Amino acid sequence: MGYILGISCGYHDSAAALIKDGKVLGAVEEERFTGIKHDSSFPINTINWLYSEFKVNKNDIDAICFYENPALKLDRIENSTKRGGLKNYFKRNKIISRNKKEYNKLSTTLNSITGENTKVIYGDHHLSHVAYSYYTSRFDKATILSVDGVGEWETTSMYYGEGNRLTKLGTVNFPHSLGMLYSAFTAFLGFKPNEGEYKVMGLAPYGDSKRYKEQFSKLIYPKGDSYEIDMKYFTYDYSDEIMFNEKLSRLFKVWNRLPEDELTQDHKDIAAGLQSTYEKIFFHLLNKLYVKKSTHNLCLSGGCAYNGTANGKIIEKTNYKKVYIPPAPSDAGSAIGAALHYYYNQNPNVDRVLNNNPYLGPYYSNEDVEKALNELSKEVYSVKYNT
């Protein structure tokens, strides 16, 4: 098998990865070239660097693996936005129209970079997350939990990996989403969703997690081996402008914070309650997953795998003894995951290749760094140490 190019883009953290015989040769987020944080654009700069660095061209590529299925994602958008009703009719049409244009543009762009014999494979969002986490781990068997905002329809996926095979054990579908709940409160607290969640996690230790326990219990609750969200407080399923409605403020008796507003104890207590609620559902999922497949190895993936506060309690609060979280568990890593899943699906009996090196992009020598510092000597003070 020749080269496989994995691509993730269109929402945030766009990236591309080049794989040969199961080995990840290179993988880079597009923001490293553009300087745009969480860049969502098609990763053409990354692809050009990969082709140049490893001396390949589009005719050397056997398959281009896109990290999700845009058609299925569009199906979710068309259906979920119906809840907005007549009041949001024109906004709904605008959202659908924009996403159709983006889908068509993606198809055209992918076709422009394919060789004569290159296959274009549209993957599955959460399966790409899961594949990245499992196939870059050292485990020959493990359970895998993927939690994020939303992919096509799925927001949470549970898998079991053994050898080169991945088997789905369970799923949670939109609009019930632990990731969207955390992002909605990130916005409620005056931070930017899909970027400021770490600020909310950092704010939580300064608050009282019990103060709003009753309110959070009305928003999200365990159900079987899954969970559900009461959507009467949220609008993220049909609006791309705001994630919650006024009922959320009434429930907490606190107005949503604007970015320039002071952070009060109310906000800190809400952050603490949110983190506590996240952990409650997170450990519910992990314990149910362990019952389904009693392996002591756990892989995490999806954007919520960045919740280090919760992750640090896994060994203490569950039966898992070993936990693996890859370097880029959000959409960026899915460029690798989509490509590796295709490779191992095509080669189910080959030996797994160790892909635990996170340094897969452009690098700079000491001479490069010294030259840059000299050029910026008026703006940047530097000292060189000889070791």
Side-chain angles (χ1 to χ4, degrees), residues 10 19 32 46 56 77 83 155 167 179 186 190 203 219 223-224 228 230 240 270 279 281 284 315 318-319 340 346 375:
I19 281 91
R32 301 303 180 192
T46 300
V56 300
I77 293 169
R83 197 171 74 92
T155 65
T167 305
T186 297
L203 190 64
L219 298 180
K223 187 174 182 180
E228 285 191 2
D230 188 340
D240 61 352
I270 289 173
E279 292 177 18
I281 301 298
H284 170 75
I315 302 299
T318 73
N319 289 314
L340 287 180
Q346 297 295 309
E375 291 175 354

Side-chain angles (χ1 to χ4, degrees), residues 101-312:
K101 288 179 181 178
E102 290 175 356
Y103 178 19
N104 292 331
K105 182 181 178 181
L106 172 66
S107 298
T108 301
T109 305
L110 287 176
N111 288 333
S112 72
I113 65 168
T114 58
E116 292 182 8
N117 300 308
T118 306
K119 298 176 183 177
V120 176
I121 310 296
Y122 290 103
D124 174 282
H125 185 99
H126 273 272
L127 186 53
S128 295
H129 276 315
V130 166
Y132 170 55
S133 183
Y134 176 67
Y135 289 130
T136 61
S137 76
R138 292 176 178 269
F139 302 141
D140 59 2
K141 60 177 66 175
T143 49
I144 311 108
L145 177 66
S146 176
V147 184
D148 66 5
V150 62
E152 294 88 354
W153 275 101
E154 295 178 2
T155 65
T156 303
S157 291
M158 292 164 269
Y159 277 78
Y160 173 68
E162 184 168 354
N164 295 341
R165 184 179 177 82
L166 290 167
T167 305
K168 184 183 285 188
L169 300 177
T171 187
V172 181
N173 285 340
F174 194 78
H176 307 291
S177 169
L178 195 52
M180 294 300 282
L181 177 77
Y182 212 101
S183 290
F185 273 95
T186 297
F188 186 85
L189 292 171
F191 303 112
K192 188 176 180 180
N194 295 317
E195 185 175 316
E197 283 79 2
Y198 75 95
K199 296 179 181 179
V200 177
M201 185 174 63
L203 190 64
Y206 297 95
D208 178 2
S209 63
K210 296 179 181 178
R211 181 180 172 192
Y212 292 109
K213 184 177 180 180
E214 182 180 348
Q215 286 87 340
F216 276 106
S217 69
K218 294 178 180 179
L219 298 180
I220 185 170
Y221 33 83
K223 187 174 182 180
D225 58 0
S226 177
Y227 59 87
E228 285 191 2
I229 289 178
D230 188 340
M231 290 302 296
K232 73 182 180 184
Y233 300 99
F234 302 102
T235 60
Y236 59 72
D237 55 333
Y238 63 83
S239 173
D240 61 352
E241 295 175 348
I242 191 165
M243 302 185 74
F244 52 87
N245 57 37
E246 70 281 356
K247 293 178 182 177
L248 195 62
S249 287
R250 291 175 188 163
L251 178 65
F252 284 83
K253 295 183 174 60
V254 177
W255 289 112
N256 61 290
R257 176 181 172 270
L258 299 178
E260 64 273 14
D261 291 347
E262 178 188 357
L263 275 168
T264 67
Q265 191 58 47
D266 291 338
H267 301 132
K268 296 172 185 177
D269 291 344
I270 289 173
L274 173 65
Q275 179 64 29
S276 177
T277 300
Y278 173 88
E279 292 177 18
K280 174 185 174 182
I281 301 298
F282 178 64
F283 290 118
H284 170 75
L285 292 170
L286 287 181
N287 289 326
K288 292 295 184 180
L289 182 56
Y290 183 82
V291 171
K292 288 174 181 284
K293 277 288 183 179
S294 301
T295 169
H296 293 302
N297 300 328
L298 173 68
C299 295
L300 293 180
S301 59
C304 290
Y306 284 121
N307 196 306
T309 302
N311 297 345

